[in-house]
Amino acid sequence: MLLLGGSGNDNEDVVMHDATTAQAAVSNTAAEGTHVRKHNDEQMKRAIQESLEVNQLEQTNQVKDAEMISFRDIEKKKAMNKKKKEKKKTEVIDLISDDEVEDEKPSSKKKKENKVPRPAATTQKKQPKSAAAINAGKAATSRFNNNKTTTKTPFNINNHKPKTTSLDYTHPNLKLPTKMSNKSKEEQIMRCANRVKSHVMAVDTLLRVLTSVKTHPDNGKFRVIDRTNVNYVKYVRDAPGAEDLLHAMNYHSMLPGANELRLERHCVDDILLYLGISSLEQMKLTNEYIENKKQLAFHKEMARIGKMNGSIMSSMLEYETNVRLEYMSKCPTEPPIGRGAIMSIYLGNENEKIQGGYVTRRFDGDDILNDVLNWLGGCYGNEILDKMGRNGGNNAKREWCLCDLNRYPILPLDIEKHGKKTLQFLGLFPSGKLGVRLSSDAWRDRKEDALEFDIHGSARGLGAASRSMLH
């Protein structure tokens, strides 16, 4: 500008003019940007509304098309039925003459030509919007608005929070009892001892462990329990409440999944040991523990007698051999295969499967119960019959009894009263299943008048009658 002869003031005016024009351009672009954004939003809303209307029209058209198709199918079925009726008529006419058939053929063609006219398509009227369409439109607009206001963040597995499906969230008004671990130590010990009382070996084992820890608290071997031990696995691990009782006594695993429970020296609590020992001793006085203790001792006796089965014994004393031979000499001859009743006797419970505790033999229907008892004495000797009270008279204690397992409920057989009755009369024919069981207190004390023995059993011959009728 100086070269052209211009002044300095003119230059300043030019600069100011350029600045004002730039500011005006920026303001114009900002205004245009807001206008464009509003215009785009209106176009999006308009497109969503139009798409909803198009979807409604398509749905109405699909419904109408389905109605037309169903109407056509109905008309086709009607036409098919008419054809079938016409065929039946022609078959009847064939039996009369051929001329009548020829006369009727063109009439059938005319019927085919007379097709049912299709109903004219009704003019499409704009139906009101359904609630589903309105809700879909609202959801689409809300998603559109949310996408404008919120910014999407990349997915990160560490920041991902799954939906809460806890019971407190799904059922807020539900009240649950407190967990056993949140209860007091005293209540935990009492509850666990009450649960484990029916398992005799578990009670005895736990009582022995706690007593040893109380007597020798500094001895580490009494404060460590191997969970892989055979006796622990058999009697304690699966008993309900057994391991929970040990946890209440401060036994714990050093590592997750470890096969060892350890009681640290500083965790030994004399008060907890006293509570555990006293609660287990109280459980030994309950009826459940006493009855199961008797059953356990009876099972051991049956296992011992099962080893005395003549079929599995390798050697036998001379006296025992003579006794068994004498019993066998009183047994009748065994019927051949295909005749007689198969008699089976189990020592103890049938499910226990005691080794040598199962014998079987065939008997005739007119054989008596004493024959079966003599055979049982020949298999196992005097001990079973003596404890059933056969050889001791009326004063003998009936510690064990012979039960008919085919009756329900299972009731003992009075071998003294029914010894001379036939197997058919006692309901043991054509097959019999007997079991040597531990006697109840009423049966052992010879209280046959008790109500438990005057019960009608299952329908099986004369065994369906009450026990008092079999005299």
Side-chain angles (χ1 to χ4, degrees), residues 76-268:
K76 286 182 181 179
K77 289 181 180 178
K78 289 182 180 179
M80 293 295 292
N81 292 331
K82 288 182 180 179
K83 288 181 181 179
K84 290 180 180 179
K85 291 180 180 178
E86 289 173 2
K87 286 182 180 179
K88 290 181 180 178
K89 290 181 179 179
T90 55
E91 289 176 359
V92 175
I93 294 168
D94 285 339
L95 297 175
I96 301 172
S97 64
D98 296 334
D99 297 334
E100 294 178 358
V101 175
E102 292 175 357
D103 294 337
E104 288 185 354
K105 283 183 180 179
S107 64
S108 62
K109 291 181 181 178
K110 290 180 181 179
K111 289 181 180 179
K112 291 181 181 179
E113 292 176 358
N114 295 331
K115 295 182 179 179
V116 179
R118 296 179 181 177
T122 58
T123 58
Q124 295 182 356
K125 295 181 179 180
K126 189 174 182 180
Q127 296 181 354
K129 296 181 180 180
S130 62
I134 294 170
N135 293 331
K138 290 180 180 179
T141 54
S142 65
R143 285 196 299 270
F144 175 71
N145 294 329
N146 291 332
N147 291 332
K148 290 195 303 179
T149 56
T150 59
T151 58
K152 293 184 179 180
T153 56
F155 177 78
N156 188 1
I157 193 170
N158 296 324
N159 298 329
H160 179 64
K161 294 181 180 180
K163 294 181 179 180
T164 56
T165 58
S166 62
L167 192 61
D168 296 335
Y169 180 78
T170 56
H171 299 79
N173 297 325
L174 183 63
K175 294 182 180 180
L176 295 176
T178 57
K179 294 182 179 180
M180 181 66 72
S181 58
N182 296 333
K183 294 181 181 293
S184 62
K185 290 287 187 179
E186 181 180 0
E187 189 172 358
Q188 291 183 36
I189 292 170
M190 294 299 296
R191 283 177 174 267
C192 294
N194 189 41
R195 290 180 63 195
V196 79
K197 64 183 177 182
S198 59
H199 298 268
V200 176
M201 292 301 297
V203 172
D204 294 343
T205 304
L206 291 173
L207 187 59
R208 192 182 307 113
V209 169
L210 298 181
T211 305
S212 301
V213 173
K214 184 180 179 182
T215 308
H216 307 284
D218 296 328
N219 195 340
K221 68 177 183 180
F222 295 123
R223 293 186 280 106
V224 178
I225 298 175
D226 184 9
R227 297 183 73 250
T228 60
N229 185 270
V230 177
N231 292 326
Y232 183 88
V233 172
K234 186 176 181 181
Y235 300 118
V236 180
R237 189 182 67 180
D238 297 330
E243 286 197 343
D244 293 334
L245 179 62
L246 292 174
H247 290 308
M249 305 300 298
N250 294 329
Y251 277 90
H252 62 278
S253 299
M254 299 299 294
L255 296 174
N259 291 322
E260 187 179 80
L261 293 176
R262 185 180 294 273
L263 177 63
E264 299 296 336
R265 180 64 183 88
H266 65 275
C267 295
V268 176

Side-chain angles (χ1 to χ4, degrees), residues 369 388 398 400-415 418 426 428 433-440 442-443 447-448 450-458 462-470:
L369 183 60
M388 285 195 297
R398 299 188 294 191
W400 301 344
C401 61
L402 189 66
C403 298
D404 185 3
L405 302 183
N406 285 328
R407 285 175 58 93
Y408 182 80
I410 297 173
L411 294 176
L413 283 168
D414 194 339
I415 59 177
H418 307 306
L426 297 174
L428 300 175
K433 185 188 289 186
L434 301 175
V436 180
R437 299 290 180 89
L438 184 65
S439 299
S440 61
W443 184 258
K447 296 179 181 179
E448 289 87 351
L451 293 176
E452 59 177 311
F453 301 120
D454 192 16
I455 300 174
H456 292 267
S458 57
L462 292 177
S466 61
R467 185 63 62 193
S468 60
M469 296 176 63
L470 298 178

Side-chain angles (χ1 to χ4, degrees), residues 44 74-75 79 128 174 196 221 235 292 325 334 340 342 354 379:
M44 286 293 297
I74 292 170
E75 294 298 330
L174 183 63
V196 79
K221 68 177 183 180
Y235 300 118
N292 289 324
L325 289 175
E334 185 176 4
I342 298 176
I354 297 173
C379 293

